[in-house]
Amino acid sequence: MTTLLEKDERSQVEEFLKKEMNFLKTWVKKNVSLDAIDYWIKECDPQSRRAEGEGGGGGGVVVIGGGSTLTSGVQGRDQYRNSLTANIYDNMLSGKKKKAPSKQREALGLLEESQLFMELLRDIANELDVTELCYKILINVLMLTQSDRGSLFLVRGSKDVDLHLVSKLFDVRQDVSIEDSIRDEKDVLIIPFGKGIAGAVAQSKKSVKLNDVYLDKRFNKEVDQQTGYRTKSLLCLPILNADDQVLGVAQIINKANDQSFTEKDEEKFRKYLAFAGVGLTNAQLFEMCVTECKQNEMLLSMARGIFVDQMNLDRLVLRIMTDAQGLIQCQRCIFYIVNPTVPAKTKEFLKIFDMHCDKNNVIYRPRPSTVANTLTTSYATRVLQSNTLQVMDVDQDEGSDHRPKTDASGYLVRNLLSVPILNNEEKVIGVVQIINKANGRSFTEMDFNSVQTFTLYCGLCVHNCQMYEEVSALMARQKVHLETLSYHAIETPEETSKLLKSAILKASQYKLYNWDFDDSVYDDFESCKVVVRMFLEMEVVKKFSVDYETLCRWTLSVKKNYRPVTYHNWRHGLNVAQTMFTVLFTGEMNQYISDLMRFALIVACLCHDLDHRGTNNAFQSEVEHPLAMLYCTSTLEHHHFDQCVFLLNSEATAIFQSLNQDEYKIVLNTIENAILATDLALYFKKKGKFSELVAKKETDWKDPAKNELLRSMMMTACDVAAICKPWDIQQKTAHLVASEFFEQGDIERDRLGKEPIALMDRKRKDELPKMQVGFIDAVCLPIYKLLFQINPKMEQMYKGCMSNREHWIQLTDQENKTGGAAAATDSAAAGGKQEAAGEADKQRDVGERKKTCCSQS
């Protein structure tokens, strides 16, 4: 019974409160805390509870109209602010718009005026979306002043140039959501400064309060006629920033109950807009940061596109145009590529790309000649000639009056932005043209700055792509040249067939195993048979499955690719290869070298001076030969190796084609190290280490590093081995060496206008015997003595060198007695290697005479 009575009492109280809402409002204000009110609202509104759960809880929450959450607890307010900023930033970057929650503004009516003011300030304090903020400002001002409708205008345009007001929020009501309040881009109101009431307020920075707007001639009555809404009273104030600059104008109309706006209303309006100016400044700065971030992401995307699309200029341009449309939001974009092949004064376009963004990005490729006289091309030509960016309002440009402002398709050009694209030399390589902003307005200063930055990347992209296309063309041309060179470098089938069918004499008949081998007794063709016999003795055909015909063709091709210079020709390569053969088998150094490496060493010896020009490394640098640009050290040696690889990689002369990949790598590495070892500059660097190993009586010469060092010393020994030959052979060789040296000296004197060094000076040939003795002491004797210490079978080379040294000393003595006999000097400078230039100067243990000789060997 008690329970029934309690229920009846509650029902009576509920009925009373429904009828007496004012009593409830007064009682709640006096007896209930804000926290309790927050709690009640959360319990009644599921969406508020969800907002609290997503925000992490803490503090009471009041949801108000306009899509914000008001917090009455410090902790809850701070947490929501942090998440709000991050969410807005992410949403704006991703292009998402935050959907406003349902409105619950009734609770604010329970607050005192000062509390209401503070809550409405909190409502906008953390809002960083400009549109959302403007909507909240209007809704909150309408609540503060009890007004029916409001509008907010933002300032656009450059300073003191084309300043105007723009409004996406016009005649906004409290009961209308932000989605329904925002006007489409095409319906946005644009009001110039000084025009109408809002324009006058923006220009004067003074408020306007009207009790009857129809009495003010600045008011546009057509708006009421179109909307069917009767505007009576109006209050309009500027929104200023900290520097007293106008950010916008807020306008409210028709106070509730047909009352007029009071001074108190204006004061509340002004105070709230003062805080709103701060919020609007922050939101606009935040919006600029987001825009900059999007622009930077787009520019980074373009930078990545340099490597993705660099192989095709057309595809790269299409990517650039798409990015430009996304950056500027234009209706049309045209990209002009300058013709680089015509003279600079002519300046014409090679390609034109025309993208209509309002037609699903359809791209047209008009021929330059068909659009040469159009309005857009005329502006592009101006930029090309002036090399400056141009922003044009076509209707106000007197220079375009003689041209139609519509193209053949009827497209109207209202305004455009023409920007030159420059390469690293500040030359115009193209023009980007942005036409008609999508929103129908003129280009802004931000557009101007964005496009300028954008074109820097365009220049990088286009220049890089053009360079890539040029390199690709050069590589294709080089491939054709290599094919032609390969055809002429390979010996003819007739010569190959002749060698293939020829009888190859025994090694003993060629004296292959003898230290006194003399190539002069064989003609060129017979000398190739000598090489074939060396390979047959080594059984390379059997051991490495070398095709015999390919071996013959390769031998003839090597001979063919030697130039007919005086000394460093095919005969020198043959002698070095035969000496290596003798060192390996007669000198028994083969015990340290594997079969595969022996094969590689003979190939290296035959090719070690391939395509020699008769001049040394220093000469290539002196005349700035392209070879010196390719290789900064061991110039000629690197070139000899490249020529060798060229023949080995040619299908017709691929003598190593049966080797597996690992074996082929070993062979190429062995050949490269061997050929480079013939540079005496490297010999002097390695000789000290080699001497230390020999002094320690090293026996493990099969260790990879020590074996490579041994092979390098063997190459040097074979390269200068003419100094070990019988005296008659040594004299003939010396004459050839001296002649080639003198030829280079003549070129230096006659063509370069410089005096050659003594070794290459034909006028000082009487000094050569002394220099030859110095060369033997500095280069030859040390290496032969070390090899002799390793293997006694190498004694013959050491003895031969010592014997010839005595002959040169005798000639030196004769010169001293006779004052220089011509016959003696003609046989000077034997067995030397030109590439010792400069290195003997570093030898502290030799005299000045030795230094001079070695520096030119």
Side-chain angles (χ1 to χ4, degrees), residues 73 159 276 303 384 458 595 694:
K159 295 179 181 180
L384 190 61
C458 290
D595 289 345
V694 174

Side-chain angles (χ1 to χ4, degrees), residues 479-680:
K479 186 176 181 180
V480 174
H481 290 166
L482 286 175
E483 290 176 353
T484 305
L485 177 62
S486 177
Y487 174 79
H488 292 287
I490 306 303
E491 190 53 271
T492 61
E494 292 78 15
E495 285 294 309
T496 302
S497 178
K498 181 180 177 182
L499 181 58
L500 185 64
K501 297 176 181 179
S502 297
I504 308 298
L505 301 179
K506 295 180 179 180
S508 58
Q509 292 177 281
Y510 291 128
K511 295 186 177 183
L512 282 181
Y513 292 92
N514 295 10
W515 298 106
D516 59 352
F517 173 82
D518 185 5
D519 72 285
S520 63
V521 300
Y522 308 111
D523 59 23
D524 282 350
F525 187 76
E526 196 69 21
S527 68
C528 292
K529 294 166 68 175
V530 172
V531 172
V532 172
R533 171 48 63 187
M534 277 193 284
F535 287 128
L536 293 177
E537 290 292 302
M538 297 170 63
E539 299 181 334
V540 297
V541 175
K542 177 181 178 181
K543 291 180 179 179
F544 304 108
S545 302
V546 179
D547 179 70
Y548 184 67
E549 181 178 353
T550 302
L551 183 64
C552 293
R553 187 182 298 110
W554 178 85
T555 303
L556 291 167
S557 299
V558 171
K559 178 182 72 68
K560 185 176 183 180
N561 281 270
Y562 268 97
R563 299 193 182 199
V565 295
T566 304
Y567 175 68
H568 290 92
N569 49 39
W570 161 249
R571 293 307 180 114
H572 173 60
L574 171 64
N575 276 288
V576 174
Q578 186 278 330
T579 302
M580 178 62 75
F581 182 86
T582 307
V583 167
L584 288 172
F585 298 103
T586 305
E588 297 184 1
M589 296 297 289
N590 59 341
Q591 61 183 300
Y592 308 115
I593 312 296
S594 67
D595 289 345
L596 184 61
M597 288 190 177
R598 294 174 205 164
F599 188 11
L601 281 176
I602 297 299
V603 170
C605 289
L606 287 167
C607 299
H608 84 282
D609 274 330
L610 208 57
D611 195 42
H612 201 288
R613 283 85 192 295
T615 52
N616 61 13
N617 286 333
F619 183 83
Q620 312 308 318
S621 300
E622 182 70 25
V623 298
E624 297 181 351
H625 194 277
L627 285 177
M629 298 175 64
L630 287 174
Y631 318 106
C632 56
T633 60
S634 303
T635 301
L636 288 172
E637 287 74 22
H638 277 104
H639 177 61
H640 303 326
F641 171 69
D642 286 347
Q643 294 299 108
C644 174
V645 172
F646 170 73
L647 290 177
L648 294 176
N649 286 341
S650 298
E651 184 177 357
T653 53
I655 57 176
F656 294 123
Q657 61 184 346
S658 63
L659 301 181
N660 61 42
Q661 187 175 5
D662 292 337
E663 290 174 331
Y664 189 62
K665 286 182 179 178
I666 293 173
V667 165
L668 282 187
N669 186 61
T670 302
I671 293 174
E672 181 178 21
N673 290 334
I675 293 178
L676 293 180
T678 60
D679 182 358
L680 288 184

